[in-house]
Amino acid sequence: MNEKFTAWCGLCCIDCIPSNKDLFDLVHKLEENLSDLQFDEYAKLKAEKNPVFGEYPVFIKVLKEIKSLKCSIPCREGGGKTVCEIRNCVQGKGYLGCWECSDRYSCTKLDYLRSVHPNLDYHLDLIGKYGPDSWLSKRGIHYRWQKENGGK
Ligand code: SF4
Ligand code: SF4
């Protein structure tokens, strides 16, 4: 694994939904196809008999919001959130990442990430032990709704 995919906070950028290129390519393609077909007009017609098609504008709104989640470059190379107190903190201390921090276990800045990414501390321990370029093969699930041994 390339070190660039290990974010300052210990997340693996490869596993983040916003970095999923296939997903965003598909969303882009779907939006284009729907627009070429003037599917909005078709949806209005279909809505006369099936009210679900009346929700088509909401569907398009959600597609646009999904597109806005896209993150094209790893956090370490300038991607990620525009403002991140974790990144600021790590860089301010001159660390490579939170795995180098002795205050990590009591750090409340990581609490939100811990609630979404149940392996965050386990992964930070792995990174501390194997280094930011060699821990990938040992990592567990990324998001709390995923199942261990059932994919990423
Ligand atoms: S923006 Fe912050 S929370 Fe997101 S990956 Fe980067 S360091 Fe982690
Ligand atoms: S205090 Fe330590 S663990 Fe918390 S965000 Fe800063 S570097 Fe990371």
Side-chain angles (χ1 to χ4, degrees):
M1 177 191 178
N2 193 314
E3 175 179 320
K4 72 178 180 187
F5 296 119
T6 302
W8 313 93
C9 57
L11 290 185
C12 173
C13 292
I14 294 168
D15 294 339
C16 265
I17 286 175
S19 75
N20 191 315
K21 188 179 175 307
D22 289 349
L23 170 69
F24 293 101
D25 286 350
L26 283 169
V27 170
H28 184 69
K29 184 86 189 141
L30 176 59
E31 230 189 356
E32 264 184 4
N33 274 4
L34 290 170
S35 170
D36 290 348
L37 292 168
Q38 293 182 281
F39 203 95
D40 54 339
E41 295 300 327
Y42 188 57
K44 280 182 207 160
L45 176 73
K46 298 303 283 179
E48 290 171 12
K49 291 194 176 157
N50 182 348
V52 173
F53 282 102
E55 302 296 326
Y56 183 75
V58 177
F59 171 66
I60 292 298
K61 221 171 160 181
V62 173
L63 271 189
K64 287 193 190 311
E65 286 304 311
I66 292 175
K67 264 176 65 180
S68 77
L69 296 173
K70 183 177 178 182
C71 184
S72 304
I73 28 177
C75 183
R76 188 168 286 285
E77 300 207 324
K81 293 191 286 190
T82 318
V83 178
C84 175
E85 66 167 343
I86 299 170
R87 185 174 57 215
N88 288 346
C89 184
V90 171
Q91 291 178 340
K93 289 174 189 283
Y95 295 150
L96 271 180
C98 291
W99 57 91
E100 293 185 338
C101 180
S102 55
D103 298 330
R104 194 235 304 174
Y105 292 105
S106 59
C107 176
T108 53
K109 291 186 188 70
L110 296 177
D111 282 352
Y112 176 72
L113 288 186
R114 286 185 175 110
S115 73
V116 180
H117 306 283
N119 280 319
L120 189 75
D121 279 298
Y122 170 61
H123 287 168
L124 284 165
D125 288 340
L126 283 179
I127 301 165
K129 187 170 175 191
Y130 296 100
D133 54 348
S134 309
W135 65 286
L136 180 69
S137 62
K138 296 159 189 72
R139 76 197 193 282
I141 57 164
H142 186 72
Y143 293 112
R144 65 185 176 207
W145 52 85
Q146 295 171 322
K147 292 187 173 59
E148 294 285 356
N149 305 319
K152 294 193 295 184

